[in-house]
Amino acid sequence: MPDFGAGDAERTVDDQKLDEALKRHFGHEHFRSGQRRIVEQAIAGRDQLILMPTGGGKSLTYQLPALLLPGLTVVVSPLIALMHDQVDRLRENGIAATFLNSTLAAGERTRREQAIAQGRMKLLYLSPERLLSAECLGFLEYVQRQVGLSLLAVDEAHCVSEWGHDFRPEYRQLAAVRERFAALPTLALTATATERVRRDILVQLKLRDPHIHIASFDRPNLHYAVLAKDQGAYTELLDRLRRLDGASAIVYCQSRRAVENLAERLVADGLNALPYHAGMGAEERTRHQTRFLRDDAPVLVATVAFGMGIAKPDVRAVFHYELPRNLEGYYQESGRAGRDGQPADCVLFFSPGDRAKVEYLIAQKSDPQEQRLARSQLAQMLAYAESTVCRRRILLGYFGEALAEADCSSCDNCRSPVATQERTVDAQKLLSCVARCQERFGLRHIAQVLRGANTQKIRAQGHDRLSTYGIGADRSEAEWLHLGRTLLHQGLLSETTDGYPVLKLNALSWEVLRGQRTVIAARLPARPTAPQPTDEAATDDTATALFEHLRRLRKRLADEQNVPPYVVFADAALKAMAQRRPQTMTQFLAIPGVGSRKAEAYFTPFTAEIRTYCEVHALLPPSEQAETSPPAPAHRERRPPRGTPTASTHALTLQLWQQGLSIEQIAEQRSLRTETIEGHLAELVEAGENIDIEGLVEPKRRCTIEAALLKLGTATLKPVKEHLGEEYSYSEIRLVRARLLCAQGDF
Ligand code: ADP
Ligand code: ZN
């Protein structure tokens, strides 16, 4: 990974402090590759250029420094929808973030500005237009004097470059902002990796001695595959969408009409699919997008108009139902799958007919320069679609990156390598048929002649009298078509590109015909019959079923707050919960994605859901085995609890206990005696609450108490207490008795 940075940061932050902050604010256990260094450099006040693929975790690299540095971090982001989303997610993590834009009412804007100027905000999101306004610049100068500015983060920094796919002239003027706030360290972030764009960003944004981080563009969690787009393609798509079982998927088509048609067809087949394209009204588009983001409609059928700036992290599959225009576009669009790092599928449906369609469109272009560019892009796209080698290798190669391993083991070609065979004789038959037809026909016609088909065209041309007529009857038409395409692909045959593809022999074709060159070709690509599970580590049934429950709970909580479900928790967090079934606060905090704010907000509903599920299914929360609950309180002389407290006081104790507070802490918070709290807990255990008593009574003491109870009986506690002596308290004995009785009841 190149790092053009100079020596170490001047102000170093200690690793542990960063780890803690990462967990506390974002709930993540570890930094991803590169993140720590970027954060350190940002804290040290260095300019930086960060190139990371979609889903790489760019936002964290300025959000964490923003929290650790004094003052306000300003984030420039080109898309309002994206700003809302980021701010929602930050707030959900308890981070003081806000945005200013033209949609705000005056009162609300003033309120936000006040909060910023008083230092109550850590991150401010702005569109470039807004930032550049005289009013906003003046305000920021005021903020600088009041509370200080810590960083300027320029998101989607490729917008500064005409060579990027989304040039925005306002971005060019950001250099002026840099001059006005000369001391403000700047982070430029983008997922567009080409050399040209990279240089443009450095120059246009005037980055000074920047630390440049270029992440690998490999996305190991994405599984790439190409499927034949033949008669069975639609059924295949439908099947795959159904197998996603309500998880999100995007299906890309090229034209608005194709989007409408496909969405309609999927709906008719019972899927909750919505169309999205630039031809729809803005309101309807927003509505469909929101329904998709909120998991109300799992499938979005869209043109490329959809996606830029959509950061839904849990899209489990991206399908391309038509051939994308170029490989960069394909990488970006398919890359919208699996931003959360969980397994996801990128599937391209490819028909050789698509090639002819695109070629026809290219032929319509009047500018020869544009035509050449489009042709070379098509060739790269075809190289990907028709390849029999690793798809990932081809994609990464496009970005000038080599794949370290020989095979990626998670693309269709690596998982089930296409068998190749020598096909020289077949190739000679095909090429000589092209020659006999005087290089005036397309591939399908040639295949039909080889097959000895009885078509009107063949009869009219007299091709049924050729020596090659019917010499290939032993193979199917599809096989001949495939071989022909392989020859084209390998350059052993040429084709006109004016939209009416006619096969032409070239020098290499003649070498094959003269027997000077052997032809190796793949066997016909077969559509995989077995479903391809996206989830490698097949979770057991319980975890899967519980995950569904938790997903529904997440959806409900998200709807209540009017945010997308992923803002509440990522899929990975729910999966970990479904597997580990946490019950204590410590266990809950150990779930990836659970930081302090989320733990506070969601501990109760999620652990309750898990508990209920365990009860209904007679399961023990597995977390119970690995105890990390608070240590047993010191044993003082205790009196047995008096009287029966009311139900709500028990509930309150339980809630605090579940939040991870110790008995002493609960007692202090509630102004009650520790004995009382112990009594509550004992009664709760008796009432069947799933309380881990290991944390309350050490195993050795528990054994002694159990032995006494078994010997003297469980009906009354007094004899047991007397037997055990002053060392043991009534509450302890009650707890152990309750557990003992519960356990016996289980058998
Ligand atoms: P980008 O902006 O690069 O596309 P994001 O910043 O949106 O990516 O991050 C993508 C996903 O990765 C988010 O769901 C985020 O919570 C998650 N993520 C980021 N950093 C980490 C980390 N260190 N550990 C676990 N998940 C992370
Ligand atoms: Zn591969």
Side-chain angles (χ1 to χ4, degrees):
M1 197 167 301
D3 176 1
F4 305 114
D8 280 331
E10 266 173 50
R11 276 185 282 164
T12 51
V13 234
D14 79 73
D15 281 2
Q16 202 187 339
K17 192 174 152 217
L18 284 188
D19 287 333
E20 275 165 19
L22 179 69
K23 178 64 194 168
R24 186 168 68 249
H25 297 298
F26 297 96
H28 303 321
E29 304 296 326
H30 310 284
F31 282 101
R32 288 192 184 153
S33 162
Q35 281 180 331
R36 183 192 298 275
R37 179 146 167 85
I38 301 170
V39 169
E40 284 168 354
Q41 296 284 317
I43 291 174
R46 179 109 177 251
D47 279 357
Q48 306 196 63
L49 169 60
I50 292 139
L51 300 138
M52 268 190 194
T54 304
K58 284 185 287 299
S59 358
L60 188 129
T61 62
Y62 58 82
Q63 289 168 350
L64 188 57
L67 294 174
L68 298 175
L69 288 169
L72 178 78
T73 287
V74 176
V75 186
V76 185
S77 171
L79 297 147
I80 292 188
L82 198 65
M83 263 189 247
H84 278 259
D85 193 73
Q86 292 267 11
V87 169
D88 276 351
R89 292 168 82 176
L90 285 165
R91 289 206 180 136
E92 202 38 33
N93 275 319
I95 295 166
T98 191
F99 61 83
L100 292 174
N101 69 24
S102 49
T103 64
L104 296 176
E108 175 62 19
R109 201 183 72 203
T110 312
R111 206 179 56 75
R112 291 188 185 190
E113 285 176 349
Q114 270 170 1
I116 294 165
Q118 290 165 1
R120 286 187 280 120
M121 284 293 159
K122 294 308 296 176
L123 287 124
L124 168 64
Y125 283 76
L126 292 170
S127 67
E129 300 86 329
R130 180 113 214 139
L131 170 61
L132 292 164
S133 70
E135 186 200 348
C136 189
L137 289 170
F139 173 66
L140 288 180
E141 270 170 356
Y142 175 68
V143 173
Q144 190 173 36
R145 287 193 301 273
Q146 294 297 308
V147 295
L149 296 177
S150 51
L151 294 171
L152 173 68
V154 182
D155 207 3
E156 314 284 351
H158 59 270
C159 293
V160 85
S161 170
E162 279 168 313
W163 299 97
H165 44 76
D166 194 32
F167 174 53
R168 301 199 173 214
E170 317 83 63
Y171 261 68
R172 283 278 161 95
Q173 297 166 43
L174 290 175
V177 178
R178 301 239 31 221
E179 272 159 26
R180 195 146 165 180
F181 299 91
L184 192 59
T186 300
L187 268 85
L189 309 109
T190 176
T192 301
T194 55
E195 173 66 33
R196 188 124 213 187
V197 173
R198 192 189 310 168
R199 250 184 296 140
D200 243 11
I201 298 174
L202 290 174
V203 173
Q204 298 288 343
L205 291 181
K206 299 202 163 75
L207 298 183
R208 289 158 306 203
D209 176 33
H211 164 235
I212 302 179
H213 176 87
I214 304 172
S216 164
F217 272 63
D218 187 16
R219 306 268 310 273
N221 62 313
L222 300 188
H223 176 265
Y224 296 95
V226 178
L227 295 177
K229 190 178 167 190
D230 52 18
Q231 294 93 330
Y234 173 77
T235 317
E236 179 72 31
L237 174 69
L238 188 64
D239 270 5
R240 283 175 176 250
L241 289 171
R242 284 190 176 136
R243 282 207 297 271
L244 287 173
D245 211 10
S248 298
I250 305 173
V251 186
Y252 279 113
C253 295
Q254 290 296 326
S255 69
R256 296 169 187 188
R257 212 183 47 204
V259 164
E260 299 274 353
N261 290 345
L262 186 60
E264 255 171 47
R265 199 164 166 199
L266 291 171
V267 169
D269 280 314
L271 278 179
N272 197 351
L274 292 173
Y276 186 104
H277 58 71
M280 290 162 42
E283 199 185 305
E284 193 182 17
R285 241 174 25 220
T286 311
R287 196 171 64 240
H288 287 189
Q289 174 176 317
T290 307
R291 285 177 53 84
F292 179 66
L293 292 181
R294 303 240 165 132
D295 288 353
D296 290 324
V299 180
L300 201 79
V301 186
T303 58
V304 290
F306 177 80
M308 172 59 179
I310 300 303
K312 189 170 184 7
D314 50 5
V315 174
R316 294 272 69 87
V318 171
F319 297 94
H320 279 75
Y321 205 56
E322 285 172 311
L323 194 67
R325 287 289 172 269
N326 57 56
L327 212 50
E328 161 101 41
Y330 183 66
Y331 177 83
Q332 300 293 353
E333 286 145 32
S334 62
R336 288 171 191 142
R339 289 176 85 114
D340 55 7
Q342 297 288 304
D345 278 318
C346 305
V347 179
L348 168 65
F349 282 92
F350 173 66
S351 141
D354 287 353
R355 170 198 189 126
K357 257 192 256 169
V358 178
E359 270 167 351
Y360 176 76
L361 292 174
I362 294 174
Q364 308 303 303
K365 291 183 194 282
S366 51
D367 180 354
Q369 171 69 24
E370 245 180 71
Q371 274 194 352
R372 254 197 307 279
L373 179 69
R375 281 215 182 89
S376 87
Q377 289 182 333
L378 173 64
Q380 281 163 335
M381 200 57 237
L382 291 172
Y384 176 86
E386 296 185 323
S387 171
T388 54
V389 305
C390 177
R391 312 257 182 221
R392 196 177 299 275
R393 181 178 296 281
I394 299 178
L395 273 181
L396 291 179
Y398 179 77
F399 294 108
E401 192 179 328
L403 191 69
E405 300 78 26
D407 101 40
C408 82
S409 72
S410 76
C411 75
D412 52 351
N413 285 340
C414 289
R415 275 198 182 175
S416 40
V418 182
T420 52
Q421 57 188 160
E422 219 227 87
R423 301 281 299 275
T424 312
V425 174
D426 282 337
Q428 287 168 337
K429 287 181 187 171
L430 193 150
L431 295 173
S432 59
C433 190
V434 173
R436 304 257 177 246
C437 293
Q438 298 178 325
E439 303 178 54
R440 285 179 35 236
F441 293 86
L443 183 56
R444 185 168 296 275
H445 182 76
I446 300 296
Q448 287 171 346
V449 174
L450 285 164
R451 292 266 308 137
N454 181 14
T455 70
Q456 208 272 326
K457 190 168 166 188
I458 289 177
R459 287 193 307 273
Q461 295 291 334
H463 286 170
D464 48 353
R465 294 193 302 275
L466 294 176
S467 60
T468 51
Y469 181 74
I471 55 168
D474 55 332
R475 301 201 182 275
S476 69
E477 185 176 313
E479 252 179 299
W480 284 116
L481 292 176
H482 184 252
L483 179 62
R485 285 196 301 274
T486 305
L487 295 177
L488 285 166
H489 191 48
Q490 296 182 357
L492 304 178
L493 177 64
S494 302
E495 194 176 38
T496 54
T497 53
D498 54 1
Y500 303 96
V502 166
L503 297 179
K504 300 280 181 193
L505 300 180
N506 59 29
L508 296 179
S509 319
W510 287 106
E511 287 183 15
V512 175
L513 282 168
R514 285 195 298 263
Q516 293 161 336
R517 182 179 276 276
T518 51
V519 176
I520 307 290
R523 290 178 203 276
L524 263 191
R527 181 177 298 114
T529 43
Q532 298 198 336
T534 46
D535 203 341
E536 303 273 14
T539 46
D540 59 86
D541 291 351
T542 305
T544 316
L546 178 53
F547 176 74
E548 283 311 316
H549 281 258
L550 298 177
R551 197 157 83 165
R552 278 197 292 274
L553 171 64
R554 172 178 69 176
K555 171 76 179 131
R556 209 168 61 231
L557 294 170
D559 284 349
E560 278 166 21
Q561 301 170 65
N562 219 12
V563 294
Y566 59 79
V567 167
V568 173
F569 277 124
D571 280 1
L574 296 195
K575 267 188 200 161
M577 284 183 212
Q579 243 146 19
R580 300 190 211 158
R581 295 178 240 146
Q583 286 295 287
T584 66
M585 193 53 150
T586 321
Q587 291 162 352
F588 197 63
L589 272 166
I591 298 290
V594 180
S596 53
R597 153 77 179 83
K598 289 205 176 168
E600 199 183 302
Y602 298 121
F603 175 82
T604 310
F606 280 89
T607 49
E609 184 76 26
I610 293 168
R611 199 164 48 248
T612 311
Y613 183 87
C614 290
E615 276 162 17
V616 171
H617 295 85
L619 287 166
L620 216 78
S623 297
E624 282 222 329
Q625 268 51 317
E627 258 327 311
T628 43
S629 14
H635 295 282
R636 279 168 251 119
E637 207 202 326
R638 287 156 203 182
R639 280 178 297 141
R642 285 171 303 182
T644 312
T646 63
S648 66
T649 183
H650 280 75
L652 198 51
T653 295
L654 178 63
Q655 200 184 348
L656 294 169
W657 172 254
Q658 284 171 338
Q659 284 171 16
L661 272 63
S662 70
I663 290 182
E664 277 82 354
Q665 286 167 329
I666 300 174
E668 196 185 341
Q669 186 161 338
R670 303 202 54 201
S671 308
L672 291 171
R673 305 163 60 93
T674 49
E675 290 88 326
T676 311
I677 304 300
E678 283 173 352
H680 288 178
L681 291 174
E683 281 163 31
L684 285 162
V685 174
E686 280 164 8
E689 267 305 333
N690 218 340
I691 289 173
D692 29 282
I693 77 156
E694 283 84 346
L696 290 169
V697 189
E698 303 165 12
K700 234 172 101 190
R701 294 175 74 84
R702 182 178 174 179
C703 282
T704 315
I705 300 171
E706 275 181 6
L709 283 165
L710 290 172
K711 192 165 147 205
L712 301 167
T714 53
T716 49
L717 295 183
K718 205 158 177 249
V720 182
K721 170 80 175 101
E722 277 165 6
H723 174 81
L724 290 169
E726 286 297 282
E727 268 261 75
Y728 291 80
S729 72
Y730 265 106
S731 331
E732 266 180 302
I733 302 170
R734 271 187 85 174
L735 277 167
V736 176
R737 179 180 71 169
R739 247 304 127 89
L740 194 67
L741 293 175
C742 280
Q744 284 172 345
D746 281 346
F747 294 109

